Amino acid sequence: MKEYAKNYYDHLANLMNLVKFTSKKKSNIDFYAGIEMACTLILSQANSGRKLMFIGNGASASISSHMAIDFSKNVGIRALAFNDSALLTCIGNDYGYKHVFEKPIEMFADKGDILFAISSSGESENILKGVYIAKSKGCSVITLSGFKDDNPLSSAGDINFYVPAQEYGPVEVIHHSICHCILNTIVSHKEVQG
């Protein structure tokens, strides 16, 4: 068991060194420069009164809820996650599950808002539809994906983080850590700014 645990964390550490960051203008940018770009975008848009929106299925929905709460509580940036059960079942029933994020984004997004789209596979149709409607409304998009390196989500955003793993657990853990790194970097920046 001890050896398994060691291998697990060695694998996560190796994956962290392999995370790919791309933007709509450049590919294979330094990961830490990508974190800085995400933080700069969030701060500039939040200072203009814009909000963060988070979408994800399953564990990615949990990450979305967690991060929306933490950005609101710890940084004072308005943030919400579109995964309330009544909302999901209403939209799913009336329009179909593939529209469960597209419709709320269409209703609530304002130009200049930022969407975090989180999907381990990067192939979830409802996530991709959410990204497309957000872009059509003038929102910036930050994506977090994994599995295949050419998954559609991995290049759909203004800022893209891709985890080169084929298992849900490591992808989800690293997605969560990237979101927390962005959040904590912003908290630290605001403390320095006073």
Side-chain angles (χ1 to χ4, degrees):
M1 285 191 250
K2 180 179 173 184
E3 189 63 28
Y4 180 87
K6 181 185 182 316
N7 290 338
Y8 177 84
Y9 281 104
D10 287 347
H11 179 60
L12 280 180
N14 289 335
L15 282 174
M16 279 303 308
N17 291 324
L18 298 173
V19 172
K20 284 177 27 183
F21 168 78
T22 60
S23 73
K24 66 180 178 181
K25 297 178 183 173
K26 297 180 182 179
S27 61
N28 294 325
I29 301 168
D30 175 69
F31 171 73
Y32 300 104
I35 296 288
E36 182 178 34
M37 283 178 69
C39 293
T40 301
L41 173 66
I42 291 166
L43 284 168
S44 71
Q45 295 308 93
N47 288 338
S48 299
R50 302 301 176 228
K51 65 184 169 292
L52 303 179
M53 302 173 293
F54 291 84
I55 58 174
N57 294 300
S60 300
S62 296
I63 295 168
S64 295
S65 288
H66 181 174
M67 298 318 302
I69 291 165
D70 278 6
F71 270 97
S72 297
K73 178 180 67 124
N74 298 333
V75 191
I77 295 174
R78 292 183 309 134
L80 66 155
F82 294 120
N83 56 15
D84 174 76
S85 60
L87 174 68
L88 291 174
T89 56
C90 170
I91 301 297
N93 183 63
D94 293 353
Y95 298 100
Y97 191 70
K98 64 185 178 183
H99 301 287
V100 295
F101 299 122
E102 176 187 40
K103 291 298 182 182
I105 292 168
E106 184 178 38
M107 290 185 275
F108 293 106
D110 296 306
K111 184 176 182 179
D113 288 346
I114 300 169
L115 174 69
F116 274 78
I118 308 169
S119 170
S120 293
S121 72
E123 295 182 351
S124 300
E125 185 177 15
N126 58 3
I127 299 293
L128 293 168
K129 285 187 171 298
V131 167
Y132 301 141
I133 194 69
K135 289 166 103 175
S136 77
K137 294 201 69 161
C139 299
S140 297
V141 176
I142 297 172
T143 73
L144 295 102
S145 68
F147 292 21
K148 297 178 191 168
D149 63 356
D150 62 347
N151 74 67
L153 189 62
S154 69
S155 60
D158 300 285
I159 293 173
N160 305 289
F161 294 96
Y162 165 73
V163 180
Q166 304 302 312
E167 309 91 30
Y168 283 97
V171 173
E172 292 161 356
V173 167
I174 293 173
H175 283 173
H176 209 165
S177 81
I178 290 169
C179 290
H180 260 296
C181 181
I182 292 168
L183 171 74
N184 293 343
T185 302
I186 291 172
V187 168
S188 175
H189 173 77
K190 286 188 158 224
E191 287 172 354
V192 169
Q193 297 294 309

